[in-house]
Amino acid sequence: PPFTSQSKMLMPKKTRVAIFSYLFKEGVLVAKKDLTCKHNEVDVPNLYVIKLMQSLKSRGFVTENFTWNHFYWYLTNEGINYLRDYLHLPEEIVPATLKKKAQPRGAGGMQGGRGGGRRYDDDSRPQGMGRGRFEGGN
């Protein structure tokens, strides 16, 4: 029979490289479960993205989540190594999910949230801002 479970989908190499490049750059890939439309991020048919990710999932190179009619794929360490070899990338290049974000300048100390207000000693507390003792009810 011409169509067995071992049949492979023919896909242009340019398309495969475009999908792999995007996946490696970002570390994650999202696709709507719609085989008839184009992918939002990569200019290729969604069918190619879904089938290629199915193949990577079966080999353990990505993990898959499916929520609200969207597929979410995350690269595994084995997947990073595979794509690095496939795309001929050096070791220094890593997906965005593994890059540490730089802290914005001046982000030292506590900002916002609880405990970020002014602290007073009992002597320097402005008039009318007492400790607020409970004097009892009734």
Side-chain angles (χ1 to χ4, degrees):
F3 296 104
T4 64
S5 63
Q6 295 295 319
S7 293
K8 291 190 177 194
M9 180 175 200
L10 294 177
M11 179 182 311
K13 185 173 183 178
K14 185 173 79 172
T15 301
R16 184 174 309 139
V17 168
I19 296 168
F20 281 172
S21 297
Y22 183 82
L23 176 61
F24 188 85
K25 184 179 95 172
E26 297 297 325
V28 296
L29 188 61
V30 179
K32 186 175 182 182
K33 186 184 175 185
D34 181 2
L35 304 179
T36 61
C37 68
K38 281 213 177 251
H39 192 264
N40 289 341
E41 304 295 328
V42 188
D43 191 29
V44 298
N46 221 21
L47 174 68
Y48 287 166
V49 173
I50 292 171
K51 291 303 177 183
L52 194 55
M53 292 298 107
Q54 248 179 12
S55 172
L56 291 179
K57 179 186 166 200
S58 72
R59 293 185 273 168
F61 295 149
V62 294
T63 57
E64 179 185 275
N65 261 343
F66 184 73
T67 307
W68 286 59
N69 235 11
H70 284 77
F71 290 101
Y72 297 86
W73 295 282
Y74 309 93
L75 267 177
T76 63
N77 290 334
E78 294 80 21
I80 292 171
N81 293 332
Y82 172 76
L83 290 182
R84 188 175 280 134
D85 289 343
Y86 188 90
L87 299 169
H88 309 293
L89 297 171
E91 290 282 326
E92 299 83 46
I93 299 177
V94 294
T97 52
L98 295 182
K99 291 181 184 173
K100 294 194 188 271
K101 292 187 179 184
Q103 276 195 347
R105 292 185 170 210
M110 285 196 309
Q111 293 182 357
R114 292 184 151 222
R118 184 167 176 193
R119 304 250 186 243
Y120 294 109
D121 295 336
D122 283 338
D123 298 335
S124 66
R125 188 177 310 277
Q127 189 68 18
M129 290 187 67
R131 281 252 177 225
R133 234 175 23 218
F134 183 69
E135 296 292 330
N138 268 357

